[in-house]
Amino acid sequence: LGSQIAYQTAYSGFPVSAYDISDELLDSAKNSFERLAALYEQEVDGAAGGPARAALARIHDSSDLAEAVREADLVIESIPEKLDLKRDVYTRLGRLAPEKTIFATNTSMLLPSELAASTGRPERFLAMHFANQIWKHNTAEVMGHDGTDPAVYQAVVDLARQIGMEPIELQTEQRGYILNSMLTPWLDAAEYLLLD
């Protein structure tokens, strides 16, 4: 999903720094971006004939976290759902990113309040949860916590619209978010039907 978020953001005209922990993984991400460009050309109105390919030129990659976030206005993290791992990454990001940087987690289960303090700037932290295949399912759930600055929250809602997403504004923290809350009962029902 991280590749999808990065590509959609670049497709929407923004410069993007894509970070991963090794050059090998970044090579794999480049292949994902190429596949996404081809997919957009086939499935997204107006993407063929240049726009989908132009997005690729707006993506810079780095395996150096300091370089990747040096000028970042917004960092959207999309790493495994491990609380300690996410906290560690946010501690590092809090030291490396400029003061202006907003941090958004793409977690699908953790609460923003569980991660905010590790950034060193909890007022600039919230969740921005995307659905898979974001070029089709263009929603972004935006969830702050009690300490999120309302101006930061609004800036992320505005950005969601600028990158072609329909923001779903969640005013109170909740586990599972809206999309997962709707999907989980359906998956449970499907599993029950398969077992019967």
Side-chain angles (χ1 to χ4, degrees), residues 3-137:
S3 295
Q4 292 179 39
I5 297 166
Y7 182 82
Q8 176 67 28
T9 303
Y11 180 75
S12 300
F14 291 91
V16 172
S17 289
Y19 167 80
D20 213 323
I21 59 174
S22 73
D23 291 333
E24 182 178 275
L25 289 171
L26 286 171
D27 287 341
S28 176
K30 287 177 193 174
N31 292 333
S32 294
F33 296 142
E34 286 286 344
R35 286 191 300 274
L36 284 166
L39 200 57
Y40 274 53
E41 287 175 330
Q42 294 172 6
E43 297 186 10
V44 176
D45 288 342
R53 294 278 143 199
L56 296 171
R58 287 190 281 276
I59 302 172
H60 167 75
D61 60 76
S62 178
S63 59
D64 180 334
L65 187 58
E67 177 190 342
V69 301
R70 183 173 293 127
E71 298 177 17
D73 294 308
L74 172 66
V75 171
I76 303 173
E77 160 270 312
S78 184
I79 62 175
E81 295 286 279
K82 296 179 180 176
L83 184 59
D84 288 342
L85 175 62
K86 286 184 185 282
R87 284 178 173 161
D88 178 61
V89 168
Y90 279 115
T91 299
R92 292 174 56 211
L93 285 168
R95 289 193 302 259
L96 296 171
E99 288 184 26
K100 67 175 182 175
T101 306
I102 296 169
F103 298 129
T105 180
N106 183 50
T107 182
S108 57
M109 296 304 291
L110 299 172
L111 297 176
S113 59
E114 295 174 311
L115 299 166
S118 60
T119 67
R121 52 183 99 169
E123 73 284 357
R124 300 190 70 74
F125 182 82
L126 44 58
M128 189 178 192
H129 177 239
F130 294 82
N132 198 16
Q133 295 186 319
I134 64 177
W135 64 96
K136 292 181 184 177
H137 311 293

